[in-house]
Amino acid sequence: MVSRISSSDPSGLLASSPSLPRQVKEISSLNLSGQPLPSPRNLRLSTAARREMPSTARSAKLTTRAFFFWNKPKPSPESPKPTKVQELCVYEMNERDRGSPAYLRLSQKDVNSLGDLVPFTNKLYSGDLQRRLGVTSGLCVLIQHFPDKGGDRYEAIYSFYFGDYGHISVQGPYLTYQDTFLAVTGGSGVFEGVSGTVKLQQIVFPFKLFYTFYLKGIPNLPAELTGKPVPPSPGVEPSPAAKACEPHATVPNFTN
């Protein structure tokens, strides 16, 4: 440093002062603002720190992305529906006290014909005939009359109501001269999410019918709905207590 200063000072004034090299050294370490300049080592560290900044920013960016996109809790898988098939037997009784069925001859013909409508509602009893469950209600549309069989084929849409337990809806062929199967299309209450089929047995049309449901997709049915059924026959009758709707012989808030 001193030699460089001397070569640039031909007059020799700087060299003649022994304190000048130290002062020059101090001056060279100052910037124009009078503050100490960082040492080369500090400069190198600062440069290294600046080089680290992009990596840190990338890390922060990745962390942010992980928080918003990768750390979301996974939805819990849905519980599979029960696959067990449960049988439910009920009796439908027309006790001639509900003005049912009503026959609407939209065809305006003397014989049962396509398009005639039959809205209906009847009482519903448990398969063991010990409890009043509720009612049925629905609509049948006549599709075809069979004189040789003494009966008709209807397309039926109706529901079975079980008080606080909910209801089951069905749809399909309703034959007045033989047994048939209908589809279970849905339900509510304990029957929510139900599917399956139901067998309709004509005992005495249209006053006594016996149904056997084959239900799936729902939890176990309440015990009071699944008593041992009485075999269907023309002489079956509900118990006097069930027929009188006594409290111990009905389901909660039975549908009337």
Side-chain angles (χ1 to χ4, degrees), residues 120-191:
F120 67 93
T121 176
N122 296 312
K123 294 179 181 179
L124 191 65
Y125 293 94
S126 59
D128 59 7
L129 294 170
Q130 298 302 306
R131 291 182 185 276
R132 172 74 185 279
L133 303 177
V135 298
T136 59
S137 62
L139 180 68
C140 291
V141 181
L142 196 142
I143 302 301
Q144 190 173 2
H145 175 60
F146 295 95
D148 56 330
K149 297 179 180 179
D152 301 299
R153 176 191 179 95
Y154 292 89
E155 181 68 17
I157 303 173
Y158 58 114
S159 295
F160 298 73
Y161 291 92
F162 297 82
D164 283 353
Y165 289 125
H167 85 286
I168 300 174
S169 294
V170 303
Q171 181 175 353
Y174 183 110
L175 307 181
T176 65
Y177 52 86
Q178 70 181 48
D179 298 345
T180 186
F181 285 87
L182 299 91
V184 173
T185 58
S188 65
V190 301
F191 305 106

Side-chain angles (χ1 to χ4, degrees), residues 27-236:
I27 291 171
S28 67
S29 66
L30 297 176
N31 61 14
L32 294 178
S33 64
Q35 299 296 324
L37 292 172
S39 68
R41 182 179 181 184
N42 289 339
L43 287 173
R44 284 196 297 272
L45 288 175
S46 299
T47 303
R50 285 197 300 272
R51 289 175 180 171
E52 290 296 327
M53 285 178 64
S55 175
T56 305
R58 285 195 299 270
S59 177
K61 186 176 180 180
L62 290 174
T63 303
T64 303
R65 287 177 58 86
F67 178 80
F68 285 103
F69 298 100
W70 298 336
N71 289 346
K72 289 184 178 180
K74 294 182 180 179
S76 57
E78 294 184 3
S79 301
K81 285 189 174 183
T83 57
K84 179 178 71 173
V85 176
Q86 301 181 70
E87 288 190 18
L88 172 65
C89 298
V90 297
Y91 277 95
E92 181 184 15
M93 299 281 193
N94 184 336
E95 297 177 349
R96 301 173 176 84
D97 60 353
R98 300 176 67 85
S100 175
Y103 203 97
L104 308 178
R105 291 193 178 277
L106 300 187
S107 65
Q108 299 182 351
K109 296 180 179 179
D110 295 334
V111 297
N112 296 350
S113 301
L114 177 65
D116 291 348
L117 302 181
V118 186
F120 67 93
T121 176
N122 296 312
K123 294 179 181 179
L124 191 65
Y125 293 94
S126 59
D128 59 7
L129 294 170
Q130 298 302 306
R131 291 182 185 276
R132 172 74 185 279
L133 303 177
V135 298
T136 59
S137 62
L139 180 68
C140 291
V141 181
L142 196 142
I143 302 301
Q144 190 173 2
H145 175 60
F146 295 95
D148 56 330
K149 297 179 180 179
D152 301 299
R153 176 191 179 95
Y154 292 89
E155 181 68 17
I157 303 173
Y158 58 114
S159 295
F160 298 73
Y161 291 92
F162 297 82
D164 283 353
Y165 289 125
H167 85 286
I168 300 174
S169 294
V170 303
Q171 181 175 353
Y174 183 110
L175 307 181
T176 65
Y177 52 86
Q178 70 181 48
D179 298 345
T180 186
F181 285 87
L182 299 91
V184 173
T185 58
S188 65
V190 301
F191 305 106
E192 183 178 355
V194 73
S195 61
T197 58
V198 59
K199 181 181 180 181
L200 183 161
Q201 293 178 253
Q202 296 283 359
I203 304 172
V204 180
F205 174 79
F207 303 111
K208 293 181 181 180
L209 299 91
F210 183 73
Y211 295 88
T212 304
F213 288 89
Y214 302 95
L215 305 175
K216 56 185 178 182
I218 56 174
N220 290 337
L221 293 169
E224 66 179 336
L225 298 182
T226 58
K228 184 178 179 180
V230 174
S233 70
V236 295

